[in-house]
Amino acid sequence: EIKECDWSSDVCSSDLKEVADAVKRLQDHSTSCPSSISQRAAVAALGLGTNYFSENQAKFQERRDFIISYLDEKLKEFVGYVKPQGAFYIFINIAKTKLDSLEFAQRLLEESYVATIPGAAFGCSSWIRMSFATSSEEIKRGLQRLELFLIKLKTESLTAH
């Protein structure tokens, strides 16, 4: 099975029957099979051989394990997480920071230059999603910046009381 990440779908509706019928005809042909670009990507992926996939799987597992180890060893007092079982991202619980995911993600980006996805996008406002679909060096740098940001938040919290 070959999956592509970050493809999106759009929604359209109309009160006009002729518009709705035209959209339905178009939709029937665009969703009954993978798009042409998806088909070409799948054919190209099949030509890469099994070593490519097993090597990449090992790289992603290595990155995931590094993140988990870092969170366990250095950030346990600040955050929790859900261990990914096959995804290329990890959900991190930020409830102890007392910030919602939108504010946390925005501040982390603006103050520490680390991009995450607020959990609010998934209905989980005390979580963030962090990707590990990048190099190990970038992941390490991002985690170090996250650590400094969390220490800063803790200091702010202590001085506010």
Side-chain angles (χ1 to χ4, degrees):
E1 180 176 354
I2 298 171
K3 294 185 178 182
E4 299 142 23
C5 61
D6 293 334
W7 292 81
S8 63
S9 299
D10 297 319
V11 177
C12 176
S13 66
S14 174
D15 292 330
L16 299 173
K17 183 171 175 16
E18 60 269 4
V19 172
D21 288 344
V23 170
K24 183 182 180 302
R25 283 191 304 277
L26 177 64
Q27 182 268 340
D28 283 346
H29 296 289
S30 64
T31 61
S32 62
C33 64
S35 66
S36 59
I37 193 168
S38 294
Q39 291 177 37
R40 286 185 178 264
V43 168
L46 289 171
L48 295 172
T50 55
N51 284 347
Y52 173 82
F53 295 105
S54 57
E55 288 170 9
N56 274 316
Q57 182 181 9
K59 287 178 188 175
F60 277 99
Q61 188 168 343
E62 213 173 274
R63 294 174 194 158
R64 180 204 65 191
D65 293 346
F66 175 76
I67 291 171
I68 288 170
S69 164
Y70 197 100
L71 294 174
D72 284 341
E73 292 173 19
K74 298 189 176 194
L75 303 179
K76 196 174 204 156
E77 74 173 284
F78 302 109
V79 298
Y81 62 87
V82 174
K83 182 179 179 182
Q85 298 298 312
F88 54 87
Y89 49 82
I90 184 167
F91 279 95
I92 300 173
N93 186 306
I94 56 161
K96 292 178 186 176
T97 69
K98 307 287 191 241
L99 297 177
D100 68 37
S101 64
L102 294 169
E103 182 180 357
F104 185 95
Q106 184 169 352
R107 285 190 59 190
L108 181 61
L109 178 61
E110 291 173 356
E111 298 172 27
S112 301
Y113 308 108
V114 176
T116 60
I117 304 296
F122 310 100
C124 304
S125 63
S126 60
W127 294 78
I128 57 168
R129 188 177 87 171
M130 181 178 277
S131 171
F132 49 92
T134 188
S135 71
S136 296
E137 296 79 28
E138 287 295 317
I139 292 168
K140 183 176 182 181
R141 187 172 19 255
L143 289 170
Q144 289 169 336
R145 290 177 180 182
L146 173 62
E147 181 178 8
L148 293 174
F149 179 72
L150 290 166
I151 291 168
K152 178 183 173 184
L153 289 179
K154 183 177 181 180
T155 304
E156 288 174 4
S157 173
L158 292 173
T159 56
H161 291 110

